[in-house]
Amino acid sequence: MHFSIPETETRAGDGGAAYVAYNIHVNGVLHCRVRYSQLLGLHEQLRKEYGANVVPAFPPKKIFTLTPAEVEQRREQLEKYMQAVRQDPTLGGSETFNSFLRKAQQETQQIPTEEVVLEVLLSNGQKVKVTILTSDQTEDVLEAVASKLDLPDDLVGYFSLFLVRETKDGAFSFVRKLQEFELPYVSVTSLHNPEFRIILRKSYWDSSYDDDVMEHRVGLNLLYAQTVSDIEHGWILVNKEQHRQLKSLQEKVSKKEFIRLAQTLKYYGYLKFDPCITDFPEKGCHVVVSAGNNELNFQVRLPSEQIKEGSFKVTRMRCWRVTSSVPMSNGPSGSSPGKSEVKLELAFEYLMSKDRLQWVTITSPQAIMLSICLQSMVDELMVKKSGGSIRKMFRRRVNGALRRSDSQQAVKSPPLLDSPDASREPMAKLSSKLTSVSLRGISHSSSANDVGANDFHGNYAFEGIGDEDL
């Protein structure tokens, strides 16, 4: 998650007195407006719970009214503070920090706590309506959807809720995975755009976990619906013979066999992103990025119109960062904030050869989602390396105030596959592989001149590769 405070506002308090509000953005979108005193209260609570040595330094109080220059200085300091807290595994994952952000989000959007019906989509377009509170957090909503579908507790951890934007062709452009510090109902309704929806989708990368999910009828149906949808939207490449085999398995209602065959196909389990811009292999190249199989796959259109394809393994990314920038406005100081187009970039430092690291940059509104994908791949790799498993019992909160429906809803079986899109095959045939190299690692080095600490994501999976792999 990319936290920033790109702007401040002068607002009137309840008594009419003016105060400065700091607009906290998450992934380039306004999450909440808070006062300095609110953030100070959060800081003091974190110090009380975790100790002064753990919590980063907080901007000091001022006796007199702040000048514009001092307001700007404080904004920068508060931004660094929020980024530092979020990136600390203990502080950023604490209930104190997350509940503060949830409450601030609800107060900023002025949405009262009340019972509502929230619509969540499945990959096949099916709508699942759950009764929740507007103040229910992501875990609550996921639990409600799982309960509605009769998904067992021990399989809920394999799925997540994602904020998506529905495109004209019925596909989904992924914005982000919903986090523990936000309220899904508030997040989607505050965008004031019906194109934004919440979708349930599997949240793991290793297809071997499919076996766990397919043990249960509902898990199998969800995975089957997602696989059919990914094929229909061209995320999974299928030739005519494979398409014929898949359709035959559909007609026989052989869902497990359908998924087993799909697992052998190119790009199974990948998330496909909207076309964007990269500086590799040269600046200004148009690219379609897909994330999966512990890599970022590039389909690059060069200025010469030649198409090349290649993959960047996550185990060879030393680190990555996300940066956001808002163009300076020439308008009056009182102009409404948040209207400027935020430019998002993901850059990763990649081991191109034994002794050569190179930064590769992707300029995309989905840069945050790309970063989330990289982090979840690394997390999954490290769990597997330690001999663990992502399988865990979904823990229900003892005093949850969740409103449940007594009725349950079955996952509908998607229709038979349409005829394969003939235009997709030439794309693969035209592609020529970018230079690829075997897995290798180097010792951790400092890149202080390249990477701001607040935007830096170190890759523990990279650090775990020893010299014997060179």
Side-chain angles (χ1 to χ4, degrees):
M1 291 291 103
H2 182 69
F3 278 67
S4 62
I5 304 179
E7 60 208 1
T8 61
E9 289 184 62
T10 301
R11 303 178 69 87
D14 295 336
Y19 69 91
V20 175
Y22 296 87
N23 293 348
I24 298 178
H25 287 228
V26 180
N27 304 347
V29 177
L30 176 68
H31 180 80
C32 59
R33 297 185 187 92
V34 293
R35 302 175 71 154
Y36 171 84
S37 58
Q38 290 175 280
L39 290 174
L40 178 60
L42 169 65
H43 172 70
E44 291 173 344
Q45 184 63 31
L46 289 172
R47 278 173 56 99
K48 181 179 177 182
E49 292 184 25
Y50 299 99
N53 294 333
V54 176
V55 182
F58 192 79
K61 290 182 179 179
K62 301 281 186 180
I63 299 176
F64 302 106
T65 302
L66 271 62
T67 65
E70 289 173 325
V71 169
E72 173 60 18
Q73 182 185 45
R74 177 175 280 182
R75 180 198 66 77
E76 292 178 354
Q77 292 171 337
L78 290 173
E79 180 178 73
K80 291 179 181 178
Y81 175 83
M82 290 297 290
Q83 290 172 342
V85 170
R86 175 59 188 171
Q87 291 196 9
D88 184 282
T90 301
L91 302 177
S94 68
E95 180 58 21
T96 298
F97 181 68
N98 290 321
S99 62
F100 172 85
L101 289 172
R102 291 194 295 265
K103 183 180 178 182
Q105 181 190 26
Q106 187 174 5
E107 290 177 349
T108 298
Q109 300 300 336
Q110 298 181 326
I111 295 179
T113 297
E114 59 185 359
E115 195 173 88
V116 293
V117 175
L118 178 65
E119 194 174 83
V120 176
L121 297 182
L122 304 185
S123 295
N124 60 0
Q126 182 180 344
K127 299 173 183 176
V128 179
K129 294 183 178 181
V130 290
T131 302
I132 61 167
L133 294 177
T134 53
S135 57
D136 279 334
Q137 62 196 69
T138 301
E139 184 179 280
D140 294 332
V141 178
L142 179 60
E143 181 185 345
V145 175
S147 177
K148 183 82 172 182
L149 296 173
D150 197 26
L151 185 67
D153 288 356
D154 62 342
L155 291 186
V156 178
Y158 290 88
F159 293 87
S160 293
L161 297 175
F162 295 86
L163 181 67
V164 298
R165 188 167 191 167
E166 197 166 7
T167 59
K168 293 179 180 179
D169 61 357
F172 299 109
S173 173
F174 281 75
V175 179
R176 70 176 184 273
K177 177 181 173 181
L178 293 179
Q179 302 292 314
E180 66 277 13
F181 57 75
E182 61 185 315
L183 311 176
Y185 178 83
V186 177
S187 292
V188 70
T189 56
S190 63
L191 294 169
H192 305 293
N193 187 335
E195 292 178 357
F196 288 98
R197 313 293 293 271
I198 295 175
I199 191 170
L200 179 74
R201 186 179 172 90
K202 75 175 186 180
S203 58
Y204 57 88
W205 301 100
D206 190 338
S207 60
S208 66
Y209 292 122
D210 288 348
D211 292 340
D212 295 343
V213 175
M214 290 192 291
E215 287 178 3
H216 190 273
R217 167 185 53 85
V218 178
L220 173 61
N221 289 339
L222 286 170
L223 191 57
Y224 174 69
Q226 178 177 314
T227 305
V228 172
S229 174
D230 287 356
I231 292 172
E232 287 284 17
H233 291 124
W235 288 18
I236 300 174
L237 290 186
V238 182
N239 62 34
K240 290 182 179 179
E241 176 56 25
Q242 292 163 341
H243 185 276
R244 186 194 64 76
Q245 295 175 29
L246 289 166
K247 194 165 186 178
S248 174
L249 291 171
Q250 274 193 300
E251 291 168 345
K252 297 174 184 175
V253 199
S254 301
K255 296 179 182 179
K256 282 189 179 181
E257 291 74 12
F258 183 96
I259 293 171
R260 297 286 185 214
L261 176 55
Q263 287 172 337
T264 67
L265 303 179
K266 191 172 184 179
Y267 304 135
Y268 174 81
Y270 283 63
L271 273 182
K272 191 173 183 179
F273 292 84
D274 298 339
C276 54
I277 303 295
T278 183
D279 63 356
F280 185 89
E282 52 187 288
K283 288 185 178 180
C285 289
H286 292 265
V287 63
V288 174
V289 181
S290 298
N293 194 30
N294 298 320
E295 67 181 22
L296 292 184
N297 176 271
F298 277 32
Q299 290 185 358
V300 182
R301 184 179 295 275
L302 301 176
S304 64
E305 294 301 311
Q306 182 184 11
I307 297 175
K308 288 192 175 184
E309 180 183 358
S311 295
F312 296 93
K313 296 290 184 183
V314 70
T315 45
R316 298 180 58 194
M317 297 178 187
R318 193 187 70 84
C319 60
W320 69 88
R321 66 187 179 195
V322 174
T323 56
S324 63
S325 59
V326 181
M328 295 296 293
S329 172
N330 295 323
S333 59
S335 60
S336 60
K339 301 297 183 183
S340 300
E341 188 70 26
V342 177
K343 179 183 178 182
L344 288 171
E345 289 185 342
L346 171 79
F348 57 88
E349 194 176 25
Y350 195 75
L351 187 65
M352 295 291 182
S353 58
K354 184 175 181 180
D355 299 311
R356 186 169 71 91
L357 285 161
Q358 178 179 334
W359 281 97
V360 177
T361 301
I362 303 167
T363 303
S364 167
Q366 295 175 292
I368 301 295
M369 186 65 193
L370 281 163
S371 177
I372 293 171
C373 290
L374 291 177
Q375 187 61 59
S376 59
M377 286 179 193
V378 169
D379 292 343
E380 201 171 293
L381 280 170
M382 297 309 292
V383 167
K384 199 164 188 177
K385 185 179 178 67
S386 65
S389 171
I390 66 167
R391 183 165 191 159
K392 63 178 185 291
M393 179 68 73
F394 189 73
R395 294 174 295 177
R396 296 184 185 277
R397 295 199 302 162
V398 177
N399 298 317
L402 208 57
R403 271 59 174 170
R404 295 181 172 277
S405 171
D406 293 331
S407 63
Q408 291 181 329
Q409 185 173 338
V411 180
K412 295 178 182 177
S413 187
L416 295 179
L417 291 169
D418 291 333
S419 298
D421 185 349
S423 65
R424 288 176 188 152
E425 282 190 73
M427 178 73 169
K429 291 174 182 176
L430 281 170
S431 302
S432 59
K433 290 288 183 183
L434 296 170
T435 304
S436 59
V437 241
S438 58
L439 214 76
R440 50 187 68 187
I442 61 171
S443 60
H444 186 80
S445 62
S446 172
S447 298
N449 294 329
D450 297 321
V451 185
N454 292 327
D455 298 318
F456 179 85
H457 297 261
N459 183 355
Y460 293 104
F462 182 96
E463 294 172 349
I465 300 170
D467 292 338
E468 67 275 8
D469 296 310
L470 290 174

